Amino acid sequence: MKVAPDKTCMQFSIRRSKLPSSETHPEESMYKRLGVSAWLNHLNELGQVEEEYKLRKAIFFGGIDVSIRGEVWPFLLRYYSHESTSEEREALRLQKRKEYSEIQQKRLSMTPEEHRAFWRNVQFTVDKDVVRTDRNNQFFRGEDNPNVESMRRILLNYAVYNPAVGYSQGMSDLVAPILAEVLDESDTFWCFVGLMQNTIFVSSPRDEDMEKQLLYLRELLRLTHVRFYQHLVSLGEDGLQMLFCHRWLLLCFKREFPEAEALRIWEACWAHYQEADV
């Protein structure tokens, strides 16, 4: 750390650690980022994904080129099945667009009393969050940006679709990157549904789910960083609550890394490589 000459500010120098080869996966450098040609090679003449395991492995190690994220992410988020044909996916999109419209209509058709309760429990927080989510991203930048309104509708409609979860602060941070890549509002909504239902990487806002994730993290620390784990134990209950990492879990490390790296982490987790049940 260096103090500026005029002492009006402090400058921090951050060094990125580089793991020695002995600590990296032996296949770490064998896979390039999944590009257009490699992706097309995984599709047969009907548009079905072939060699799914190899595809997930390639994504886990190499990530996905930005140009095709919008096409590949719906598969990773279980909106599309790998066995589906191009025609079946188009039919699904039409069906899901109709379902999404019905969900929105249900929200818009609330009685005055229902709407007051919804505004108090959901909409008030959503309205505050969306206007400050990813505003540095060109996709959401500027006043009266229609993409911000799309994000707002997705979150409000999700609260109607899944009232047991509703909306909690931080969910806008999960929706925004998906919308910016997938672009279509209805498709993004169903991708977000898949994210909340099918990935172990996102912890829903419920306390029991967060505690389950913290349990996994404590066990990992106990096995891999014994001294740090023992330090947390020595601090008592406060140390083991690990309040410092709650945001990591709720926002999937989105605010702890530059966006490009955070989304790369998301893709690796969504690939579910080397998991028994995918």
Side-chain angles (χ1 to χ4, degrees):
M1 183 182 73
K2 299 183 297 183
V3 179
D6 59 4
K7 297 184 179 181
T8 57
C9 65
M10 304 180 76
Q11 299 175 348
F12 289 84
S13 177
I14 301 175
R15 295 188 62 185
R16 184 182 302 278
S17 60
K18 183 174 177 61
L19 289 175
S21 58
S22 60
E23 295 185 25
T24 61
H25 194 285
E27 297 181 89
E28 188 69 37
S29 60
M30 295 176 59
Y31 291 85
K32 296 180 180 180
R33 183 175 298 172
L34 183 75
V36 176
S37 61
W39 167 242
L40 293 177
N41 286 337
H42 279 280
L43 301 178
N44 63 22
E45 63 277 7
L46 296 177
Q48 297 168 306
V49 175
E50 296 184 331
E51 298 184 308
E52 177 191 347
Y53 181 78
K54 288 185 178 180
L55 175 63
R56 288 191 283 111
K57 184 176 183 179
I59 293 172
F60 178 83
F61 284 113
I64 303 171
D65 190 84
V66 175
S67 64
I68 57 172
R69 272 181 175 163
E71 186 174 349
V72 181
W73 278 12
F75 288 91
L76 298 183
L77 293 172
R78 313 290 181 88
Y79 178 32
Y80 298 148
S81 72
H82 291 83
E83 298 81 14
S84 65
T85 65
S86 298
E87 289 186 2
E88 288 170 340
R89 289 194 292 275
E90 190 54 36
L92 176 68
R93 289 188 71 206
L94 294 175
Q95 174 194 331
K96 289 297 186 180
R97 184 162 286 133
K98 180 181 179 182
E99 290 181 31
Y100 180 67
S101 178
E102 292 170 351
I103 294 168
Q104 178 159 285
Q105 187 57 41
K106 180 179 179 181
R107 174 173 64 85
L108 297 176
S109 301
M110 290 179 179
T111 65
E113 183 178 350
E114 290 172 332
H115 185 267
R116 282 193 294 270
F118 186 77
W119 184 89
R120 183 173 60 253
N121 297 325
V122 175
Q123 187 170 332
F124 176 75
T125 308
V126 170
D127 287 347
K128 286 197 306 181
D129 284 357
V130 295
V131 295
R132 58 190 181 188
T133 299
D134 286 8
R135 296 311 294 270
N136 289 329
N137 186 323
Q138 183 64 40
F139 190 75
F140 296 107
R141 192 176 299 166
E143 296 298 322
D144 300 320
N145 188 318
N147 298 320
V148 175
E149 182 60 25
S150 289
M151 174 167 52
R152 175 180 176 273
R153 286 194 298 267
I154 290 169
L155 293 167
L156 294 176
N157 292 336
Y158 182 80
V160 172
Y161 171 79
N162 191 351
V165 172
Y167 177 80
S168 293
Q169 286 185 308
M171 290 170 71
S172 61
D173 279 279
L174 304 178
V175 166
I178 301 175
L179 178 59
E181 299 294 343
V182 174
L183 301 179
D184 181 83
E185 183 176 320
S186 173
D187 292 342
T188 297
F189 175 87
W190 294 111
C191 284
F192 181 65
V193 168
L195 175 68
M196 297 299 290
Q197 290 179 343
N198 299 313
T199 179
I200 62 171
F201 188 51
V202 64
S203 175
S204 75
R206 294 179 301 181
D207 291 341
E208 60 266 29
D209 292 324
M210 172 59 78
E211 182 54 38
K212 185 177 180 181
Q213 298 294 330
L214 291 173
L215 181 64
Y216 293 150
L217 184 54
R218 292 189 197 102
E219 184 64 10
L220 282 172
L221 288 174
R222 187 183 69 83
L223 295 172
T224 61
H225 295 283
V226 179
R227 288 181 60 191
F228 183 59
Y229 177 78
Q230 290 174 341
H231 172 67
L232 292 176
V233 171
S234 71
L235 297 176
E237 186 63 26
D238 287 345
L240 290 176
Q241 284 182 1
M242 303 176 71
L243 295 176
F244 60 89
C245 67
H246 283 207
R247 189 176 77 176
W248 303 354
L249 297 175
L250 285 172
L251 302 187
C252 307
F253 296 98
K254 184 187 175 192
R255 295 186 186 175
E256 322 311 322
F257 293 89
E259 183 180 83
E261 295 183 14
L263 298 186
R264 172 71 185 85
I265 293 172
W266 288 17
E267 292 171 345
C269 293
W270 295 347
H272 293 277
Y273 174 60
Q274 290 186 328
E275 289 182 25
D277 180 18
V278 297

